[in-house]
Amino acid sequence: MAAENLAAVISSLTPDEQESVQQFIDFLKGTRSPRSSPFLAAVDEFIDQHPELLRRLAQ
């Protein structure tokens, strides 16, 4: 698929669908978007704040 065709397809998506495409691209690149979901940010924060609890749960 040519880049122009792909850009046209993406521009026809809803804003939510476009955000999903961006997150998927970031995932494929192995990077994190600064626009990551609030849920993922909360999970990362929980993991950072409670490593001992998670270690015990893993036993």
Side-chain angles (χ1 to χ4, degrees):
M1 177 180 282
E4 298 82 23
N5 292 341
L6 186 56
V9 169
I10 292 172
S11 68
S12 71
L13 300 174
T14 67
D16 286 339
E17 291 169 333
Q18 290 178 11
E19 176 65 22
S20 295
V21 170
Q22 183 61 53
Q23 288 180 4
F24 181 66
I25 291 169
D26 291 342
F27 170 78
L28 291 176
K29 288 181 176 180
T31 60
R32 277 223 161 154
S33 171
R35 299 177 297 186
S36 292
S37 76
F39 175 77
L40 292 177
V43 169
D44 287 340
E45 182 179 338
F46 182 85
I47 290 169
D48 290 342
Q49 291 180 2
H50 304 287
E52 181 63 18
L53 173 64
L54 294 172
R55 185 190 66 76
R56 289 180 183 187
L57 287 171
Q59 292 179 343

